[in-house]
Amino acid sequence: QLQASGGGLVRAGGSLTLSCAASGFDFANYALGWFRQVPGKEREKLSCIGNRDGRAYYVDSVKGRFTITSSSAENAVYLRMDDLRPDDTAVYYCAAERGWCHMRNMDYWGKGTQVTVSS
């Protein structure tokens, strides 16, 4: 299972780090991704890191502002978010898929954590 945390209220230009604790599966053989969703809109892929190769991927809208990292010692993945904007406001989810970063058919999902960015 996955447990996301770290959301909150922050002013535009500020930073937050989200955490996602993993348990119950072979963390080293999974890719971990972050998504977000605004009510009434489709869930948006943000970033993914493959634990098999350590490669990280980002969508253009967060590239250069968000950083994904993974810790095998802690069985956790993190999303450092800098230079936050009001349109980053959403519920953020972590998810895991066996193998590589495809971010299509995720095997596990965590409950979301709310991030609100005020202007």
Side-chain angles (χ1 to χ4, degrees):
Q1 61 181 3
L2 298 170
Q3 182 71 45
S5 60
L9 174 64
V10 64
R11 288 192 174 184
S15 299
L16 277 177
T17 297
L18 305 182
S19 302
C20 179
S23 62
F25 61 90
D26 183 10
F27 187 77
N29 283 307
Y30 277 72
L32 278 293
W34 287 95
F35 300 73
R36 68 186 178 191
Q37 190 167 23
V38 174
K41 294 189 176 181
E42 289 190 3
R43 186 151 46 196
E44 178 187 9
K45 302 174 187 178
L46 298 177
S47 180
C48 182
I49 187 166
N51 281 333
R52 287 182 177 177
D53 60 4
R55 289 188 175 183
Y57 303 88
Y58 302 91
V59 297
D60 287 344
S61 61
V62 305
K63 199 173 292 182
R65 300 191 299 123
F66 290 10
T67 304
I68 190 169
T69 55
S70 180
S71 169
S72 58
E74 297 177 343
N75 267 25
V77 65
Y78 305 94
L79 187 69
R80 165 80 180 188
M81 304 185 294
D82 295 315
D83 190 24
L84 283 162
R85 305 165 181 167
D87 61 4
D88 291 319
T89 295
V91 178
Y92 285 68
Y93 299 87
C94 60
E97 62 181 327
R98 185 169 181 81
W100 313 100
C101 281
H102 298 296
M103 300 187 78
R104 286 198 292 266
N105 298 310
M106 310 307 286
D107 297 300
Y108 302 100
W109 285 91
K111 291 183 180 179
T113 185
Q114 175 72 46
V115 172
T116 302
V117 184
S118 64
S119 57

